[in-house]
Amino acid sequence: MPVAVVVLRETAAGERRVALTPDVVKKLKARGADVLAEAGAGESAYFSDAALDATQVLDRAGALARADVLLRVQPPDPDEIAGLKAGAVVIAHLQPHRDPERVKALRDRKITAFAMELLPRTTRAQAMDVLSSQAAVAGYKAVLIAAEAAPKFFPMLTTAAGTIRPSKVLVVGAGVAGLQAIATARRLGAQVEGFDVRPETREQIESLGAKFLDLGVSAAGSGGYARELTAEERERQQQALADHLKGIDVVVTTAAVPGRQAPRIVSAAMVAGMKAGAVIVDIAAESGGNCELTEAGRTVVSPNGVSIIGTVNLPASAPIHASEMYARNLYNFLELSLNDGALTLNWDDELIAKTCLTHDGRILHEPTRQLIEGAQS
């Protein structure tokens, strides 16, 4: 029997993406897989059942019961896990550090679960990197939100009433989201600076036409992520940043460390020193925020008139393109194991081995296992 790849309608509040799109369905069928979809699975991303063109369209329970592979955007809920057969494969953004009980349920149900955020950051893995693809959407949308909220134009305008100076925009963090934010702000005509504690990002920031903000502190780390700063380094960085923020109109913060709280970069004291009408858009709001005053899902206005916007799930606000990129990421990962309609997992492949969270009743990701089960004796 061909492997049955299943996609469900996402049920998390505000989630409009879908894990399979029409072009990926065609690719899966060409590889010999059956594609089963819950009725209406793609409607929130504007893909009708007819456009999705799955092999079969079923109700939720029926699709789950048939699933050899379940593709999700958000992690499956307890009922979905219970509805899967033992040994089924789940591929999703699983956020194991946020919900140990979900990990236990996947383990106890003997589900082979792949957490795409655990994917090694290698050249070979780039086409499967859901964090990068979705971060690009977030960086783009964050700047549009900032431009709408700002009480000033982004570009310089020459009018009969005089010349309007461009807004000064600072993007904190030069990962995928930050670089996309810089590029978008530049397209809108703002005067843009980029800041990152990793000195190697200077060339990337400057290649986009922005100025690199050097605060005299380096935190180059491993795997493309920044290391945590020492107390002394943080104090020096924060004082220099506080002084610089006094002249900034818009700040977009994008600094994040997967599986951990977002680093606090913009303090309440820094906000108090900013000018009235300034705007901060915090992409990291869901993991605690880069700004001390950020509240996820809310806009907070400081006593001195600075708006701090705590964005949540920005990729869901561009569901068509975000879904297309996400679905391609999942397909490229699944393709490693899919041959002539059969699924064969190669545990010698580091992309498969290191992305696996649970398998055959065990938690394979060691940090998660220690969090849940403790160190083995």
Side-chain angles (χ1 to χ4, degrees):
M1 288 287 291
V3 64
V5 179
V6 167
V7 62
L8 302 179
R9 177 194 286 269
E10 297 289 327
T11 57
E15 184 55 74
R16 297 173 59 196
R17 291 170 292 174
V18 63
L20 272 183
T21 53
D23 65 321
V24 172
V25 170
K26 290 177 183 176
K27 290 180 179 181
L28 287 170
K29 288 181 177 180
R31 302 282 293 190
D34 281 339
V35 180
L36 312 181
E38 178 187 6
E43 285 181 354
S44 61
Y46 304 103
F47 300 117
S48 66
D49 289 342
L52 206 58
D53 193 27
T55 307
Q56 280 186 275
V57 177
L58 305 169
D59 62 20
R60 195 174 192 83
L64 277 169
R66 293 274 303 279
D68 297 313
V69 178
L70 174 64
L71 303 182
R72 298 285 273 124
V73 177
Q74 298 288 346
D77 61 34
D79 290 340
E80 290 171 18
I81 295 171
L84 290 166
K85 55 192 174 187
V89 172
V90 172
I91 305 175
H93 187 203
L94 291 174
Q95 307 166 36
H97 60 289
R98 293 190 180 182
D99 194 341
E101 292 305 314
R102 179 185 292 116
V103 179
K104 292 178 185 177
L106 291 165
R107 176 198 63 191
D108 296 344
R109 190 67 177 162
K110 295 190 174 182
I111 302 298
T112 298
F114 292 99
M116 293 302 294
E117 63 268 43
L118 301 180
L119 185 77
R121 305 202 81 185
T122 64
T123 300
R124 181 168 162 252
Q126 286 179 352
M128 313 166 197
D129 189 349
V130 300
L131 293 181
S132 291
S133 73
Q134 302 307 290
V137 183
Y140 168 77
K141 294 293 285 190
V143 171
L144 299 187
I145 290 169
E148 183 177 5
K152 303 173 72 173
F153 292 124
F154 263 38
M156 181 176 75
L157 297 179
T158 301
T159 75
T163 299
I164 304 294
R165 304 301 300 172
S167 290
K168 293 182 178 180
V169 175
L170 173 64
V171 177
V172 177
V176 174
L179 293 174
Q180 186 62 250
I182 289 169
T184 304
R186 284 281 296 156
R187 292 187 194 106
L188 293 178
Q191 182 179 323
V192 185
E193 294 178 304
F195 164 66
D196 197 293
V197 289
R198 299 168 296 161
E200 64 269 22
T201 62
R202 175 190 288 268
E203 184 177 350
Q204 295 171 300
I205 290 169
E206 292 178 345
S207 72
L208 295 172
K211 180 182 176 182
F212 179 76
L213 178 61
D214 189 349
L215 298 179
V217 177
S218 172
S222 61
Y225 297 108
R227 66 173 174 82
E228 192 166 352
L229 297 176
T230 66
E232 182 182 351
E233 288 172 330
R234 183 175 294 278
E235 184 177 352
R236 284 194 288 120
Q237 178 207 69
Q238 290 194 334
Q239 183 56 57
L241 182 58
D243 292 340
H244 192 75
L245 285 175
K246 294 175 182 179
I248 297 297
D249 300 304
V250 170
V251 181
V252 177
T253 63
T254 70
V257 181
R260 299 178 62 182
Q261 285 287 102
R264 284 289 170 83
I265 298 172
V266 180
S267 67
M270 291 180 191
V271 174
M274 294 176 71
K275 53 191 174 184
V279 173
I280 299 172
V281 177
D282 194 340
I283 291 180
E286 289 175 277
S287 57
N290 295 143
C291 177
E292 184 179 355
L293 300 181
T294 296
E295 294 184 25
R298 293 192 59 205
T299 296
V300 176
V301 180
S302 70
N304 59 316
V306 177
S307 297
I308 303 99
I309 302 173
T311 62
V312 294
N313 197 5
L314 284 179
S317 66
I320 294 178
H321 281 158
S323 296
E324 287 176 349
M325 290 191 289
Y326 185 86
R328 288 172 195 154
N329 291 149
L330 295 197
Y331 172 78
N332 290 332
F333 181 77
L334 184 56
E335 189 182 26
L336 298 174
S337 307
L338 191 59
N339 294 289
D340 297 325
L343 190 71
T344 304
L345 298 173
N346 177 12
W347 296 105
D348 292 328
D349 188 327
E350 71 162 352
L351 299 186
I352 292 173
K354 291 184 178 181
T355 308
C356 190
L357 177 63
T358 63
H359 174 67
D360 196 26
R362 294 177 297 142
I363 300 173
L364 298 189
H365 182 242
E366 185 60 20
T368 303
R369 191 196 66 75
Q370 292 208 21
L371 175 68
I372 294 174
E373 300 176 348
Q376 292 180 342
S377 58

